[in-house]
Amino acid sequence: MRTGIVMTAGPGVEDLAARAEELGFDSFWVYDTPMIHGDPFVCLALCARSTHRIRLGIGVTSPALRSAPAAAAAVSSLNALAPGRIVCGVGTGNTARRTLGMRPTKMAELESFTAALQDLTAGREADYREGARSSRVRFLHVGPYVDTEAPVEFVVAAFGLKAAAVAGRLGTGLISYGMHDPAAWSALGQARRAAARDAGGAGKTRSYLMSSLHVLADGEDRYGDPVKDSVGHIALSALILGVENPAFRASLPPEEAAAVDRLLQLRGTTPTDPKLHQVLYRNYLGRLFPGDRELIVPSLVDRFGLVGTRGEITERIDALEKSGVDELVIQPVVDPETEMAEFARLLA
């Protein structure tokens, strides 16, 4: 199993990227959530200068954030700094859109945007549209500005079979977040492969799982505060989705549905508040606030974190690898350097 690290974008992240490379990780990612964190392309440019081997990932951008030409210029500019080391994740913009009080983009838009990025970053022409007007565009001057020769790896963010099919048709890999069910990964892989066959595609692609991890010490409480601090940011994101998506909330067990309601109480808001997005995502994907620990009920720990003894975690990772996950990407939030070193030792 390959391993990687994902962090929120901000000053100093390049030092963590360099340390991740020293520890032998395969990739280093930053999130693309403009109203919460810093700019991923600025941060990854610094990471490109502070590293030599590790792949650098955007996790993930969206057609709702940038036009295809602007995104392609950013990706290809990074590729000029770190040729052949860039991984570009693309999704519907679930979080990035909701932090604006908007809804994610449609699958069709995700597919056309990703296809345009693939073409432009490879030096080919792509369609560009503004309303009823359209044109064909390409990079007009490559030279020292962007690199369209070294390949860029693309992955589509998928929680369901429709997005997996998009990945298959476009020949990209997959990336998902907090999804630890091997059966779900097997289904995504099957959907991607079936769509790839129908499209006449082939070739090896990678599947990435972004998650959190806590190795239990002897006698440590599986649901204690240190565990909640390590994995709570992932679990909390599931509760936030429960607020934003009534269908998802309806699928939650009673204990987790109650935690969704309690989250709204703690934030002092309601699902119909027009400024819901301004308070709901406070500290999103940051270290858990102590006052939010009560929200991380045991079932959330079990479902949205990799928690257990060394043997238990490696067993779960083995099952995920067999189901199609090629690379496990962990976000450390308590003490990133210490947690990265522990993760490196776990799979050594």
Side-chain angles (χ1 to χ4, degrees), residues 138-162:
R138 62 177 175 84
F139 284 120
L140 302 180
H141 188 180
V142 179
Y145 303 107
V146 298
D147 188 335
T148 59
E149 296 296 326
V152 173
E153 180 184 356
F154 284 91
V155 291
V156 166
F159 290 97
L161 302 184
K162 290 182 179 179

Side-chain angles (χ1 to χ4, degrees), residues 194-219:
R197 285 194 301 270
D198 291 343
K204 172 65 176 174
T205 60
R206 292 191 181 103
S207 293
Y208 298 82
L209 168 59
M210 288 187 171
S211 184
S212 57
L213 180 145
H214 186 95
V215 181
L216 294 171
D218 290 343

Side-chain angles (χ1 to χ4, degrees), residues 231-255:
V231 307
H233 56 295
I234 305 289
L236 190 61
S237 70
L239 297 181
I240 290 173
L241 181 59
V243 173
E244 297 274 29
N245 188 327
F248 179 72
R249 185 194 183 284
S251 72
L252 298 176
E255 184 182 38

Side-chain angles (χ1 to χ4, degrees), residues 4-7 27-32 57-60 87 89 155 157 159 174-180 185 207-213 233-234 285 304-306 325 327-331:
I5 298 296
V6 59
M7 298 296 300
S27 63
F28 187 89
W29 302 67
V30 293
Y31 296 117
D32 190 5
I58 301 107
V60 300
V87 189
V155 291
F159 290 97
L174 294 172
I175 188 168
S176 199
Y177 179 80
M179 189 171 70
H180 301 104
W185 274 103
S207 293
Y208 298 82
L209 168 59
M210 288 187 171
S211 184
S212 57
L213 180 145
H233 56 295
I234 305 289
L285 295 178
F304 293 103
L306 291 172
V325 177
E327 189 159 329
L328 177 61
V329 182
I330 295 296
Q331 183 193 353

Side-chain angles (χ1 to χ4, degrees), residues 268-315:
T269 188
T270 67
T272 58
D273 184 350
K275 292 189 175 181
L276 170 70
H277 58 285
Q278 294 188 10
V279 295
L280 187 61
Y281 290 88
R282 188 174 63 221
N283 193 41
Y284 188 75
L285 295 178
R287 181 175 179 176
L288 201 66
F289 289 141
D292 287 341
R293 285 175 180 154
E294 65 173 280
L295 300 171
I296 312 304
V297 296
S299 60
L300 288 173
V301 172
D302 293 337
R303 285 209 294 151
F304 293 103
L306 291 172
V307 177
T309 64
R310 181 187 180 95
E312 289 171 338
I313 291 176
T314 54
E315 184 176 336

Side-chain angles (χ1 to χ4, degrees), residues 25-340:
F25 289 102
D26 297 287
S27 63
F28 187 89
W29 302 67
V30 293
Y31 296 117
D32 190 5
T33 46
M35 292 294 98
I36 302 177
H37 307 131
D39 185 87
F41 297 103
V42 171
C43 289
L44 287 178
L46 296 173
C47 293
R49 288 305 194 193
S50 66
T51 61
H52 305 281
R53 172 196 58 81
I54 199 167
R55 288 173 297 124
L56 303 173
I58 301 107
V60 300
T61 196
S62 163
L65 297 178
R66 301 169 186 85
S67 68
V75 172
S76 296
S77 295
L78 284 177
N79 204 26
L81 297 175
R85 292 200 283 140
I86 305 305
V87 189
C88 182
V90 190
T92 58
N94 189 57
T95 299
R97 289 286 288 168
R98 294 185 189 280
T99 57
L100 301 175
M102 302 295 173
R103 291 294 173 260
T105 56
K106 303 296 185 182
M107 284 292 165
E109 194 172 355
L110 166 66
E111 186 163 359
S112 62
F113 176 80
T114 306
L117 282 186
Q118 289 177 297
D119 285 336
L120 292 171
T121 57
R124 300 187 294 265
E125 287 188 354
D127 285 326
Y128 176 65
R129 297 180 181 278
E130 290 185 7
R133 187 184 179 103
S134 67
S135 65
R136 297 288 287 174
V137 299
R138 62 177 175 84
F139 284 120
L140 302 180
H141 188 180
V142 179
Y145 303 107
V146 298
D147 188 335
T148 59
E149 296 296 326
V152 173
E153 180 184 356
F154 284 91
V155 291
V156 166
F159 290 97
L161 302 184
K162 290 182 179 179
V166 169
R169 287 192 293 272
L170 297 179
T172 76
L174 294 172
I175 188 168
S176 199
Y177 179 80
M179 189 171 70
H180 301 104
D181 181 4
W185 274 103
S186 295
L188 290 182
Q190 290 170 6
R192 193 200 65 78
R193 289 189 295 272
R197 285 194 301 270
D198 291 343
K204 172 65 176 174
T205 60
R206 292 191 181 103
S207 293
Y208 298 82
L209 168 59
M210 288 187 171
S211 184
S212 57
L213 180 145
H214 186 95
V215 181
L216 294 171
D218 290 343
E220 184 178 3
D221 182 359
R222 185 179 293 267
Y223 307 111
D225 286 348
V227 173
K228 291 180 178 181
D229 289 345
S230 294
V231 307
H233 56 295
I234 305 289
L236 190 61
S237 70
L239 297 181
I240 290 173
L241 181 59
V243 173
E244 297 274 29
N245 188 327
F248 179 72
R249 185 194 183 284
S251 72
L252 298 176
E255 184 182 38
E256 294 177 15
V260 171
D261 296 336
R262 180 61 179 150
L263 170 62
L264 288 168
Q265 293 173 3
L266 289 174
R267 296 294 187 268
T269 188
T270 67
T272 58
D273 184 350
K275 292 189 175 181
L276 170 70
H277 58 285
Q278 294 188 10
V279 295
L280 187 61
Y281 290 88
R282 188 174 63 221
N283 193 41
Y284 188 75
L285 295 178
R287 181 175 179 176
L288 201 66
F289 289 141
D292 287 341
R293 285 175 180 154
E294 65 173 280
L295 300 171
I296 312 304
V297 296
S299 60
L300 288 173
V301 172
D302 293 337
R303 285 209 294 151
F304 293 103
L306 291 172
V307 177
T309 64
R310 181 187 180 95
E312 289 171 338
I313 291 176
T314 54
E315 184 176 336
R316 290 184 69 184
I317 290 174
D318 287 345
L320 286 165
E321 186 170 22
K322 290 175 182 175
S323 70
V325 177
D326 299 298
E327 189 159 329
L328 177 61
V329 182
I330 295 296
Q331 183 193 353
V333 295
V334 178
D335 181 349
E337 289 206 35
T338 299
E339 292 174 80
M340 285 196 299

Side-chain angles (χ1 to χ4, degrees), residues 14-28:
E14 68 274 16
D15 297 328
L16 293 174
R19 180 58 178 149
E21 183 171 85
E22 290 174 3
L23 289 168
F25 289 102
D26 297 287
S27 63
F28 187 89

